[in-house]
Amino acid sequence: MKRRSVLLGALALTVAAGTTATAAPRAAAGRRVVVYYQTQYTNGRYVTPLDLTRHRTGVTDVIVAAVHLNDLNGPYAPVHLNDDPPSAAKFDQMWRDLKTMQGQGVHVLAMVGGAAPGSFTRLDTEFGTYYPLLRDFIRKYGLDGVDLDVEERMSLAGIERVIDALRRDFGPDFLITLAPVGSALSGGGNLSGFDYDRLYRDRGRDIAWFNAQFYNGWGGMASTSSYDAVVRRGVVPASKVIAGTLTDPSNGGSGYVTPARLKTTLRSLVAKYPDMGGVMGWEYFNSQPGGTAEPWRWAAEVSSALTAAR
């Protein structure tokens, strides 16, 4: 994802013995409506995610962004959520609200990485030092999953080691997702260093879905063509491809499409691929058409489009 202003950092993780399991989440269960939630405050006002359930939008997954693993020898806490430790008082209400949403059936995940580099380099080259930090963060906040947004070079062996450790420590129902640029799933440009085709062939059973970024020149949602290219590639099934889009033209780059155009594309996708995974929006706080006053409306409208297309 294109992060708006994110502390450069990286998270630390280590393998610890935990729950072992051989089964893993398979395809996304039904069509998902996924919302990234990075901006928790705007103009000093707290942005609650609870409006997504209060207004019965159909949201299925909220991804808190962005978690970073920082250099242990640096000036910052080892784990940061944006510019602060996740335990900072400013996040207390957020964690309570997200726990409430979990009780209402919404999955809460944390996004690791993004445009700020370092987290995945550390996981790749100093896994034993940094993985435990990620593991302990996930346990502390009772998360349902983690979204691995690798926008820096990482080895295939390194990302597979992270996936294997998460599966081992959190069991078969824990959601492991990735957020590649859309073209990385269709044989084109890629920000991650490793080959997603190979990753899916090796670890596809452990990957719940991909939050594919169809914007910023890596694809688009003005038509079905970018999504079609992924399906045509024949590696990742439509059931595990979430169509990602910007929710406002100011959210980090190019490729924004209006809600009306997006809904038309989504209806066409569902008609073509009845098992398509769903839609993802970056990011929540200013989502159109409601803007900062009613950002929940984006989720309600795309959910309606996915449902009407059935």
Side-chain angles (χ1 to χ4, degrees):
M1 308 295 165
K2 291 292 183 185
R3 313 302 160 208
R4 291 168 55 253
S5 63
V6 184
L7 178 73
L8 296 182
L11 265 150
L13 310 143
T14 293
V15 184
T19 304
T20 58
T22 54
R26 307 56 16 213
R31 292 196 278 277
R32 313 192 84 94
V33 176
V34 180
V35 170
Y36 278 88
Y37 175 47
Q38 181 179 41
T39 300
Q40 288 87 27
Y41 289 87
T42 180
N43 297 322
R45 177 181 64 85
Y46 171 61
V47 180
T48 178
L50 278 176
D51 284 340
L52 288 161
T53 51
R54 286 174 180 150
H55 294 279
R56 301 177 185 242
T57 63
V59 67
T60 58
D61 305 87
V62 172
I63 303 180
V64 181
V67 173
H68 306 291
L69 300 175
N70 294 318
D71 185 349
L72 294 183
N73 298 315
Y76 304 110
V79 180
H80 262 215
L81 176 59
N82 298 324
D83 295 333
D84 299 278
S87 59
K90 65 184 289 186
F91 296 127
D92 288 350
Q93 186 62 54
M94 179 196 77
W95 291 122
R96 287 193 294 269
D97 288 352
L98 291 171
K99 186 62 66 177
T100 296
M101 295 181 77
Q102 285 178 302
Q104 297 167 334
V106 176
H107 297 119
V108 174
L109 299 83
M111 189 208 85
V112 180
S119 298
F120 288 104
T121 296
R122 294 179 176 94
L123 287 173
D124 198 11
T125 62
E126 300 178 81
F127 180 83
T129 299
Y130 287 97
Y131 173 76
L133 299 182
L134 178 59
R135 180 202 63 213
D136 293 348
F137 162 76
I138 293 167
R139 285 177 174 165
K140 179 175 181 178
Y141 293 100
L143 299 173
D144 299 304
V146 67
D147 181 58
L148 306 174
D149 187 3
V150 187
E151 298 191 15
E152 58 187 303
R153 293 196 66 81
M154 187 180 194
S155 69
L156 178 67
I159 192 65
E160 290 183 353
R161 180 166 54 178
V162 171
I163 291 170
D164 291 346
L166 290 167
R167 180 62 62 229
R168 183 165 54 246
D169 286 338
F170 295 100
D173 296 325
F174 187 75
L175 298 169
I176 301 171
T177 68
L178 287 95
V181 294
S183 55
L185 301 181
S186 59
N190 183 357
L191 296 177
S192 306
F194 53 82
D195 185 324
Y196 277 89
D197 286 0
R198 177 65 184 276
L199 175 65
Y200 189 76
R201 291 185 177 108
D202 289 352
R203 295 294 186 276
R205 67 192 302 276
D206 287 309
I207 298 170
W209 68 83
F210 293 94
N211 293 300
Q213 300 181 48
F214 292 125
Y215 47 88
N216 290 337
W218 305 106
M221 286 297 291
S223 73
T224 67
S225 60
S226 294
Y227 198 101
D228 292 338
V230 175
V231 177
R232 190 165 55 245
R233 180 88 172 160
V235 179
V236 181
S239 61
K240 289 195 178 186
V241 180
I242 306 294
T245 188
L246 299 174
T247 61
D248 184 274
S250 67
N251 286 353
S254 61
Y256 171 76
V257 295
T258 66
R261 179 70 257 175
L262 176 62
K263 288 188 290 183
T264 297
T265 301
L266 290 174
R267 293 187 188 103
S268 296
L269 283 173
V270 173
K272 283 187 174 184
Y273 314 110
D275 62 342
M276 68 96 57
V279 63
M280 165 274 279
W282 177 266
E283 61 168 309
Y284 175 60
F285 85 105
N286 61 350
S287 301
Q288 298 299 331
T292 56
E294 298 177 315
W296 55 268
R297 287 181 56 195
W298 180 89
E301 295 211 7
V302 299
S303 179
S304 176
L306 292 174
T307 302
R310 289 179 181 175

